[in-house]
Structures are given as structure tokens and as C-alpha cells.
Amino acid sequence: MSINVTVLRVFTDAAGDYGNPLGIVDAAAVQPQDRPRLAAQLGYSETVFVTTPEPGSTSAQARIYTPGGELKFAGHPSVGLAWWLRDIGTPVRTLQLPAGLVPVRQEGELTAISARSDWAPEFAIHHLDSVDALAAAEPADFSDAVAHYLWTWTDQSRGLVRARMFAANLGVPEDEATGSAAIRLTDHLSRDLTITQGKGSVIETTWSADGWVQVAGRVVSQGAMTVV
């Protein structure tokens, strides 16, 4: 059976470059037991399976899978899905994920979602002394028992951060842009951040003392493909 997959890049820079690939699939097209296999076959850090909302609905149900299994919440699929639903003419105010109800908003060219920091998967957070030390890090140097988020300041006064993420435990040796890790780091530092991750992806976060963090970014479409 052929399955249609829409591919986006989430958290691009202002020019539309970089960003983390995301697969979007109609949940009705793939039985739950077959979703892990398809996510592994696609090889993206996450693939989201969405039940397209009925006309007039302001919420959509979705499930998120990495090549290694299902997540209750993840940032880049939530932002990408919110953007895509708006792009196809079915904008929503919330996403219904296993972790909880995720508010959605559009801020100019940025698509934003909000989440509780404790919804994000666990990450070992490593503060490095310099961009050079960050660039020199190798995934093999870190345990595969947990995901690792490495970061350093590029301008502390302005909240500018450079980061990388290694997640062999999720089947992702290195992730280009990780919204859930950005949420964890924002909550850890208790301040708004602009995070440049991977080769050049950009994640904007807003901290709130009530335990919610907004994560926002730009999204572009890579088109659609069919897999068997």
C-alpha cells in the first residue's frame, strides 16, 4: 500500500535554510502497529501521524514517532504540524498530544506552540565553554543511555545560544533542531533564548514562571512523496 508523506523543514533560519526535516502522515492511512516501522523507514528524527480536523474544528489529534519509538511530546513536530494545518487551510488553536493539550499561535512568520517543560523527554544538559568546544564534540563520546543537549553562550546578555543534540537512545545520532530540548534548556536557565542548533537552524523560546515555555520557528515545505 502506498502512503503519502508531506515533508517539512522546521526551525529554518530567516532565509529558509537549514531546519529539521519532519514527515507528516494521515493517521488513518497507517495502523498504530505499523507506525514505528514507517518512522524508522523514513529516518527523520520525528514523523507525526495526524487526524485532520473536521471543518470548523479548532483542534487536531496527533501522535509522534522517532525511529526508536513513540514520544508523548516533541517540539519540532508540534511546530511543523501547526504550520502545515494552517497552510492547508485548517488552522487550529490546539494540538491534542498524549502529553496534553498544546496551545498554538502564529506570530508573524513564526509558528509557536507552548508546552510544559516536564512534557519534554529527559536530556542530559552540558554547558560547554566555547563554540570551538561545541564544534569538537563527537556523539561517540557520550553515553547512548540518554539524549545529550550541548550548549554554549554566543551572547549571554542577549540570550543567544549555540547548541547540538545527540540522541542515539532515540535512534537519532545528531538532531538538527530540537524543540523539546530547547524547552528544557529555557526552563533550566529561566529566560528567553534564541538558539542556533546544528548547521544553522534557529529556535526562539519564551520562558514563563508558571512552568510553560513557548517555542517558535519558521517552517518551509519540501513537498510530498509516496512510500510503499
Side-chain angles (χ1 to χ4, degrees):
M1 181 178 68
S2 298
I3 300 167
N4 294 323
V5 182
T6 298
V7 183
L8 311 178
R9 282 184 291 111
V10 184
F11 299 128
T12 72
D13 66 7
D17 297 326
Y18 309 109
N20 198 0
L22 171 69
I24 298 179
V25 179
D26 182 352
V30 185
Q31 293 297 314
Q33 66 270 19
D34 296 325
R35 293 171 187 172
R37 178 195 60 79
L38 178 59
Q41 178 183 347
L42 291 172
Y44 304 132
S45 59
E46 281 107 2
T47 299
V48 61
F49 297 84
V50 58
T51 301
T52 306
E54 296 293 330
S57 174
T58 60
S59 191
Q61 295 182 334
R63 305 292 285 266
I64 299 167
Y65 288 79
T66 75
E70 186 175 8
L71 296 176
K72 293 182 179 180
F73 168 80
H76 112 271
S78 299
V79 171
L81 177 58
W83 179 91
W84 178 76
L85 288 169
R86 183 173 181 266
D87 189 60
I88 65 171
T90 56
V92 297
R93 295 178 182 172
T94 58
L95 300 175
Q96 301 173 45
L97 300 181
L101 199 63
V102 176
V104 171
R105 62 185 298 180
Q106 193 71 25
E107 298 185 342
E109 63 183 7
L110 300 181
T111 300
I113 61 95
S114 295
R116 306 284 306 176
S117 60
D118 57 8
W119 290 355
E122 292 291 338
F123 295 91
I125 297 175
H126 307 269
H127 179 204
L128 303 186
D129 293 335
S130 67
V131 172
D132 288 343
L134 182 71
E138 295 289 345
D141 295 334
F142 296 84
S143 164
D144 59 6
V146 67
H148 300 270
Y149 201 59
L150 288 62
W151 71 280
T152 189
W153 292 113
T154 55
D155 189 329
Q156 186 170 354
S157 65
R158 297 169 58 200
L160 303 184
V161 166
R162 201 73 170 79
R164 297 175 69 187
M165 202 278 273
F166 307 145
N169 62 317
L170 301 177
V172 183
E174 180 165 1
D175 201 26
E176 173 61 24
T178 314
S180 54
I183 288 171
R184 286 280 190 184
L185 181 62
T186 299
D187 193 54
H188 174 68
L189 296 174
S190 301
R191 60 176 297 179
D192 303 351
L193 299 173
T194 297
I195 301 170
T196 301
Q197 185 178 328
K199 296 178 180 178
S201 301
V202 180
I203 306 168
E204 304 280 355
T205 68
T206 304
W207 178 73
S208 176
D210 61 7
W212 288 83
V213 175
Q214 177 179 281
V215 60
R218 299 172 182 84
V219 184
V220 299
S221 175
Q222 289 286 97
M225 63 179 181
T226 301
V227 298
V228 180

